[in-house]
Amino acid sequence: MARFYPVGGSGGGSGSDDCTGTAAELLKGYTGILKGSDDEPVQGSLELTGNAQAAHVLNGETFYTNNAKSKQTGTMPNRGDYNGWGNSKGNDAGNQRMWVKVPSGYYNENANVFLSWEDIRNMAGITAAKIKKANR
């Protein structure tokens, strides 16, 4: 962990040679006596530029964005090995594709979303009237 001595503080005879922190490790807007500063105060240059939002970070995990004094906690649900049904389903006939919307959150590689045969028939537009009877 970096040590620094704030301007106006008492270093007790210590100087910049005793410090391990550098200007790159001190937040921008703060001044301190730092390693390599020749016992002179220098401005910190560390600038936090994060842009994550709580919904982008897993529920219960903590993070900082652009304010080192504001620890935030993620809210994104971890659905992990999800095995369930989608929120909605349908098709976009023009592109001949079926789609399923799943609940928001993080899913791992073992997650599954299920469709019933009835859902598939409805989404594909398969009806009894469209199925040709076999001649026997």
Side-chain angles (χ1 to χ4, degrees):
M1 181 165 210
R3 278 191 314 177
F4 70 96
Y5 299 104
V7 174
S10 172
S14 296
S16 60
D17 291 340
D18 299 312
C19 297
T20 57
T22 65
E25 298 165 312
L26 180 62
L27 284 173
K28 188 174 184 176
Y30 290 87
T31 304
I33 305 293
L34 305 167
K35 180 179 182 177
S37 71
D38 293 326
D39 296 335
E40 295 296 322
V42 294
Q43 292 287 320
S45 61
L46 176 62
E47 192 166 3
L48 302 179
T49 58
N51 64 357
Q53 298 171 16
H56 300 158
V57 178
L58 286 175
N59 187 38
E61 300 293 327
T62 57
F63 67 101
Y64 296 87
T65 57
N66 55 6
N67 181 348
K69 294 180 181 180
S70 177
K71 183 189 281 188
Q72 298 181 49
T73 303
T75 61
M76 179 173 50
N78 185 347
R79 301 201 187 275
D81 288 345
Y82 181 80
N83 283 296
W85 302 91
N87 289 343
S88 60
K89 47 203 149 286
N91 68 45
D92 59 348
N95 292 314
Q96 299 180 343
R97 299 179 297 187
M98 294 180 188
W99 54 266
V100 177
K101 290 187 178 180
V102 296
S104 66
Y106 167 81
Y107 297 83
N108 69 26
E109 67 277 2
N110 297 317
N112 296 293
V113 177
F114 301 114
L115 291 172
S116 69
W117 289 114
E118 181 182 2
D119 288 337
I120 294 168
R121 284 190 301 268
N122 291 337
M123 290 165 48
I126 299 171
T127 64
K130 293 181 181 178
I131 299 174
K132 183 177 177 179
K133 271 189 166 179
N135 292 333
R136 294 188 190 215

